[in-house]
Amino acid sequence: MASDTLRAPARAAEMTAAVDPAAPILLFDSGVGGLTVLDEVRRALPDAPIIYAADTAGLPYGTKTEAQVAARVAGLLGRMTERLRPRLVCIACNTASTIALGMVREVLEVPIVGTVPAIKPAAEMTRTGVIGLLGTEATIRQLYVDRLEQEFAADKRLLRYGAPGLVEAAEAKLRGEPVDPAIIRDAAHALRSQPDGDRIDTVVLACTHFPLVETELAEAFGPEVRFVHGAQGIARQVSRLVAGQEYSRQAADLALFTGQGELPGAYAEQLARYGLLRIERF
Ligand code: DGL
């Protein structure tokens, strides 16, 4: 017992020393949605080298089957961790996390942080007891979400809507294109028109793309509704797992996109705002 206690700090120091200071934190999403998580991770860990990977060839995940999402995510993260040697992987995507987090954790030997719907903080925030949840079609039907609801919001009413149009709206906005107001209105209407929907005062943005169009959503829902998403909590969890590690950024942070061909120039401009100064295909 006593010798275990004595050994523990030495082992922790050994593990810290074993992490290559140049090893990146890898953030992964189907598209640009995970940039909302990257923002918070950067705020928490400004010196950490980061690689942002978007599976644009697989976008959108939200309209795919569980088997398709699980196969893509597990396959890509396997190849990415092998090639990029990250110190930690953050799956900055609710769809991928609610479907494949457990499975990916079992097969990869690297710490993995997932992104799951922020139902717990929403349940603490709501005054009316009615919470809206906007996610992708795949996310809102996951058992993972049922469990979060049972655990944290059993005494609340949780109204869900899978809004695939919002993913494309967020992607378009990041390319500098206009957001179709009908898509935003439809998402708000789909929640408001459900029984008790008029009493929603808190909306969970359960897709990392959606905070990119929060301003537009706020206009559609009205000033009495507050929005909540998990990005800050995820950044805190990432910080906890890399506590004590050293960083050495050897090149500008990198954005990787799956698929072929030229990427729109607008991406480069926007990605630079997130500190991603190099863009490559994976
Ligand atoms: N950003 C992803 C999420 O958080 C999903 C977008 C997609 O449908 O690919 O769920």
Side-chain angles (χ1 to χ4, degrees):
M1 198 52 186
S3 59
D4 277 357
T5 316
L6 284 175
R7 242 180 266 137
R11 273 197 60 212
E14 222 173 79
M15 282 166 75
T16 301
V19 173
D20 174 0
I25 291 174
L26 173 65
L27 280 95
F28 176 86
D29 182 31
S30 56
V32 294
L35 293 173
T36 57
V37 177
L38 168 65
D39 231 6
E40 295 297 337
V41 171
R42 253 199 213 297
R43 235 186 283 277
L45 301 165
D47 298 326
I50 286 184
I51 296 181
Y52 182 84
D55 181 18
T56 31
L59 180 82
Y61 280 180
T63 51
K64 292 188 165 49
T65 64
E66 281 71 3
Q68 287 172 322
V69 173
R72 277 203 88 83
V73 173
L76 269 170
L77 284 180
R79 280 184 284 135
M80 283 177 176
T81 49
E82 205 175 297
R83 203 184 301 172
L84 307 166
R85 301 264 163 224
R87 68 181 74 205
L88 176 143
V89 174
C90 172
I91 304 181
C93 173
N94 289 261
T95 313
S97 301
T98 54
I99 292 175
L101 185 59
M103 171 186 166
V104 172
R105 276 199 176 128
E106 266 173 38
V107 294
L108 297 184
E109 282 178 17
V110 58
I112 300 184
V113 176
T115 305
V116 298
I119 293 173
K120 186 177 182 223
E124 286 160 6
M125 278 163 64
T126 181
R127 297 278 168 270
T128 63
V130 185
I131 301 165
L133 184 141
L134 287 175
T136 65
E137 288 159 292
T139 296
I140 66 159
R141 64 171 183 254
Q142 294 311 310
L143 198 62
Y144 205 121
V145 180
D146 300 343
R147 290 208 194 102
L148 290 174
E149 179 178 358
Q150 279 154 20
E151 191 172 348
F152 302 113
D155 59 341
K156 311 280 187 279
R157 199 143 157 61
L158 184 76
L159 307 178
R160 308 180 192 188
Y161 179 60
L166 285 182
V167 172
E168 182 40 37
E171 291 275 329
K173 185 172 176 185
L174 208 96
R175 290 193 300 266
E177 295 163 19
V179 172
D180 180 354
I183 290 172
I184 304 288
R185 267 198 314 271
D186 286 355
H189 177 73
L191 283 181
R192 286 290 197 203
S193 59
Q194 294 183 36
D196 290 329
D198 55 333
R199 294 174 49 227
I200 290 172
D201 66 349
T202 308
V203 171
V204 180
L205 300 178
C207 169
T208 52
H209 279 76
F210 298 174
L212 293 170
V213 289
E214 184 173 332
T215 316
E216 290 81 353
L217 286 167
E219 267 173 40
F221 275 95
E224 71 283 4
V225 167
R226 289 190 296 168
F227 295 89
V228 56
H229 58 81
Q232 284 183 353
I234 296 156
R236 275 197 299 274
Q237 175 66 357
V238 170
S239 304
R240 267 195 291 273
L241 290 175
V242 298
Q245 295 179 6
E246 307 210 332
Y247 305 110
S248 158
R249 186 180 278 114
Q250 318 237 310
D253 285 346
L254 172 68
L256 289 174
F257 289 81
T258 61
Q260 310 285 321
E262 286 262 312
L263 287 159
Y267 274 135
E269 209 176 289
Q270 291 297 322
L271 292 171
R273 292 182 45 218
Y274 287 90
L276 300 167
L277 301 175
R278 292 184 299 139
I279 306 177
E280 290 173 19
R281 287 284 182 192
F282 182 82

